[in-house]
DNA sequence: GATTAGCACTCAATGCGAGAGAGTGCTAAC
DNA sequence: GTTAGCACTCTCTCGCATTGAGTGCTAATC
């Protein structure tokens, strides 16, 4: 269904106004705001049409109109032009990332912070799991008599470690040898591919140092389990409190509680994302507590796997800004990841 | 100033009631609740006295009384008996900590979570900086041509690491040797004592591998800088939303924003804590945004330094429970840290 | 046929006043 | 010193009238 130009203009005008003020928009306001050459009465007729079509709704008889979720959907699909980061904002982001960061996690933290700050919405960034990273390096390091450190490094430079207990009697060179054998078996495998069978093979090969091996294997298994988890970093959750639609403490609590459960957020996102920035408006979200929120999200590519990031706000959201920001940020961080890792 | 028994009884009765209901307490309610043998009129006279003394206040003429902050202070100082964790709760905590945890950070996370959950307040736990830990072990690990990992372990088992770039030509045994020399210079020193002069000494001793050394030293310096930071872990911030005094979104925002700035919280606490659980009621807190909140906090000893933990809630707080919980938890975790690290 | 001016109508929001209810403070009796 | 009784105070709630923004309809106009 396509709208004629005047209806589009009116719809856009109402959306812009409503997004800004959170108040129903009246016919006179539409005329004034855009300096239209038509009268309020004409606008009223058009608004009535738009309401019949489902793009607008009235909170109550004889109030102004507000865009329906369908109206927002039409707008973002057919009319919206995204608004990328301006030079100033880009500058800020680049400067932020210029400061030394030593891990992907730090990078992601900063990105999330930036997104939340520039858009005034709540941001999330998901660090991809290391499942698809490759095993690169393992070492058993004697720390003190009876204690050693299992150190595991992936090809993306992610370092994982865990303390284990070992017999007092074991020597540094023995530990080194054991580490060496681990390396041989596991070298170059994708983390996700490291099977229990590989670990069993090691168990068999190194019978004489059973205890150390067992402890080390336990440590590795536990590290691998952990590594399956994607990490979610949420920033600017309190921005939600600025939105008048959440001045009700109860609604607010539901949303914030929802955000605390990071898995719930992840469950709402598709497994894998394309190149487009994606939008979920209000009831399009599955989660009950999120039916009054909108979600704008995009993927970003690391070498191995896809990370995800996005912005959350009320349905009455500046989609143009959210989409543009994500698009710009994606480009910038993909560039950085390509260079640095 | 000491109160006679009957006044104490009435004050306590009002505090208990008010803490539970958040409503002003009337004279009849006091009589009923405690099945007192005196009439409401008598209680009224006593309440009037208590108000004159500053322990009670009236929201408006002819409403019931609520305890003043001074009233709470008197109560916690002179009358309160702390209420430690019961067997059930202790069980839960021990069970929670029985599950494997691999780092002090994980331990602390769980403690914070537990405190928030059992008390329904907001908890914080501060992990002491590793400044007073001793340097235990350092190794340079070749990861791939041109890249190495600087690994630093303290006596508390805290592992820090950082990637550095090294010349392509360097061999594993050279790296090992360099690491060895680092160890000799730094061995057993407290992190805080490692001076630039030590690092300079290393720089001099290892002239021929200038580049590697410089990189490694930079990495170490940056790790040490980081390690000066105390980490604050806050749990159950949303519990604040359940308190009727914060049903106003604006107040709520101020509090939550305050909590987001972790340093602000740390600034409110004394440098070092004694054995007692400490209480700050309402206006006793310096921070402007915290004048309607109370803070209950205690220190816990690790080998090296003192950690801190506490609970935050409205002035109308179950201090007996908060103090008791912290006291119990402190005992338990000090025991665990003694055993495990 | 589309547009517009005019006007009656609707409904949330605001303000006001009466009534209810909880609780006090005072007085006088015990 | 304690208590019963009672007038008084103040909040809270409800209903009702008022206000004002904004609509929908009708009839006139372009």
């Amino acid at each position: 269904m396509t709208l004629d130009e005047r209806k589009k203009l009116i719809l856009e005008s109402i959306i812009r106004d409503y997004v800004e003020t959170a108040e129903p928009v009246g016919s006179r306001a539409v005329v004034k705001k855009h300096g239209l050459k038509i009268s309020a009465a004409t606008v009223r007729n058009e608004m009535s049409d738009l309401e019949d079509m489902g793009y607008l709704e009235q909170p109550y008889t004889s109030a102004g109109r507000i865009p329906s979720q369908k109206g927002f959907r039409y707008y973002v699909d057919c009319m919206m032009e995204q608004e990328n980061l301006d030079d100033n904002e880009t500058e800020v982001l680049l400067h932020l990332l210029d400061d030394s960061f030593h891990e992907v996690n730090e990078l992601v933290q900063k990105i999330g912070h930036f997104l939340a700050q520039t858009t005034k919405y709540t941001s999330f960034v998901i660090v991809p799991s290391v499942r698809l990273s490759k095993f690169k390096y393992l070492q058993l390091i004697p720390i003190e008599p009876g204690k050693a450190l299992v150190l595991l490094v992936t090809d993306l430079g992610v370092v994982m470690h865990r303390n284990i207990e070992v017999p007092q009697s074991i020597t540094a060179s023995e530990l080194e040898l054991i580490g060496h054998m681990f390396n041989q078996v596991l070298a170059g495998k994708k983390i996700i591919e490291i099977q229990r069978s590989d670990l069993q093979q090691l168990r068999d090969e190194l019978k004489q140092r059973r205890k150390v091996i067992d402890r080390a294997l336990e440590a590795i298994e536990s590290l691998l389990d952990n590594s399956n988890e994607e990490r979610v970093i949420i920033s600017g959750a309190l921005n939600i409190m600025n939105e008048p639609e959440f001045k009700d403490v109860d609604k607010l609590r539901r949303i914030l509680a929802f955000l605390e459960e990071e898995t719930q957020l992840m469950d709402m996102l598709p497994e894998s994302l394309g190149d487009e920035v994606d939008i979920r408006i209000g009831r399009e979200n599955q989660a009950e507590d999120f039916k009054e929120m909108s979600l704008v999200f995009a993927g970003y590519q690391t070498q191995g796997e896809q990370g995800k990031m996005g912005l959350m706000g009320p349905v009455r959201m500046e989609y143009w800004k959210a989409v543009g920001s994500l698009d710009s940020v994606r480009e910038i961080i993909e560039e950085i990841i390509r260079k640095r890792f």
Side-chain angles (χ1 to χ4, degrees), chain A:
Chain A
M1 173 123 60
T2 178
L3 299 177
D4 67 50
E5 279 311 308
R6 196 168 66 186
K7 282 200 173 57
K8 278 190 182 176
L9 198 60
I10 290 172
L11 178 58
E12 170 158 31
S13 181
I14 290 174
I15 284 181
R16 288 272 173 178
D17 225 43
Y18 177 65
V19 164
E20 189 179 333
T21 65
E23 300 283 321
V25 184
S27 53
R28 275 174 54 82
V30 172
V31 175
K32 273 191 187 168
K33 199 91 174 192
H34 273 235
L36 291 191
K37 295 278 177 297
I38 49 179
S39 78
T42 311
V43 173
R44 275 205 289 283
N45 290 330
E46 296 284 37
M47 282 162 78
S48 181
D49 290 349
L50 283 168
E51 183 173 1
D52 289 342
M53 290 186 259
Y55 296 129
L56 295 179
E57 48 196 34
Q58 249 177 329
Y60 50 87
T61 326
S62 86
R65 301 298 206 297
I66 64 176
S68 67
Q69 296 191 0
K70 184 177 167 192
F72 275 112
R73 169 52 64 193
Y74 181 88
Y75 179 70
V76 301
D77 283 346
C78 307
M79 305 166 60
M80 184 178 78
E81 286 184 22
Q82 74 182 63
E83 210 173 274
N84 286 4
L85 294 182
D86 62 32
D87 291 351
N88 208 338
E89 291 164 329
T90 310
E91 181 86 18
V92 170
L93 178 57
L94 288 175
H95 186 261
L96 193 71
L97 299 182
D98 235 24
D99 283 30
S100 57
F101 58 94
H102 305 98
E103 273 200 77
V104 178
N105 282 338
E106 263 180 83
L107 170 68
V108 161
Q109 192 100 37
K110 288 185 176 180
I111 304 256
H113 201 72
F114 171 82
L115 277 173
Q117 208 153 42
T118 49
T119 63
K120 304 285 181 206
Y121 296 119
T122 302
S123 76
F124 66 87
V125 186
I126 298 179
V127 190
S129 83
V130 296
R131 281 177 300 158
L132 292 192
S133 304
K134 288 200 182 120
F135 172 91
K136 180 185 274 173
Y137 185 81
L138 181 141
Q139 187 166 356
L140 293 176
I141 300 168
I143 298 296
E144 63 179 87
K147 283 190 183 171
L149 189 71
V150 176
L151 187 78
L152 201 158
V153 183
T154 74
D155 62 344
L156 270 176
V158 176
V159 175
M160 303 183 280
H161 57 79
R162 189 133 296 176
N163 289 303
I164 60 170
E165 289 179 19
V166 294
Q168 299 269 349
S169 60
I170 202 160
T171 66
S173 57
E174 274 181 291
L175 279 176
E176 199 176 323
L177 178 70
I178 294 170
H180 200 63
M181 300 202 66
F182 272 84
N183 273 311
Q184 283 194 321
V185 174
L186 302 180
K189 294 223 163 127
K190 286 191 181 170
I191 300 289
I192 196 177
E193 291 170 349
I194 296 179
Q195 296 299 336
R196 306 295 174 216
S197 61
D198 292 321
L199 302 182
Q200 189 53 47
Q201 182 190 340
L202 279 165
R203 225 182 282 263
D204 294 341
E205 281 182 22
L206 293 162
K207 279 221 178 76
Q208 77 281 21
R209 270 305 184 182
R210 188 96 206 177
K211 225 174 197 156
V212 182
I213 310 301
D214 281 350
R215 288 281 154 68
L217 288 174
E218 275 166 28
I220 292 172
E221 280 179 14
S222 125
L223 284 173
L224 294 185
D225 283 348
N226 258 352
S227 69
N228 268 327
E229 287 167 21
E230 297 180 314
R231 291 199 48 218
V232 183
I233 290 162
I234 291 176
S235 285
L238 298 189
N239 286 343
I240 296 173
M241 301 180 75
N242 295 320
E243 307 294 347
E245 30 271 271
F246 298 105
K247 66 181 190 310
D248 174 40
V249 180
D250 240 42
K251 266 187 200 170
L252 195 57
R253 192 207 339 262
R254 280 207 302 280
I255 301 290
L256 292 179
F258 182 89
L259 293 184
E260 269 200 347
E261 280 293 332
E262 299 174 344
T263 52
Q264 290 196 284
L265 179 60
M266 291 200 295
D267 289 346
M268 280 175 45
L269 299 173
E271 269 298 303
S272 137
L273 304 178
D275 279 347
E276 294 285 300
V277 177
D278 220 332
I279 300 179
R280 294 276 170 77
I281 298 173
R283 287 184 298 274
E284 293 169 11
N285 289 300
Q286 290 300 314
E288 204 49 49
D289 294 331
F290 233 68
K291 300 252 186 234
E292 293 183 37
M293 301 278 290
S294 284
L295 198 58
V296 181
F297 54 96
Y300 63 90
Q301 297 300 328
T302 65
Q303 285 98 320
E305 205 164 354
Q306 186 178 52
K308 295 163 192 165
M309 60 184 175
L311 290 162
M312 300 171 270
V315 171
R316 179 186 61 76
M317 192 175 180
E318 297 186 5
Y319 296 98
W320 46 93
K321 187 69 193 154
V323 171
S325 301
L326 284 176
D327 221 10
S328 300
V329 167
R330 186 218 331 245
E331 227 170 273
I332 291 173
I333 64 171
E334 285 186 351
E335 175 74 16
I336 288 182
I337 290 178
R338 236 193 327 274
K339 266 199 233 155
R340 290 271 308 244
F341 296 108

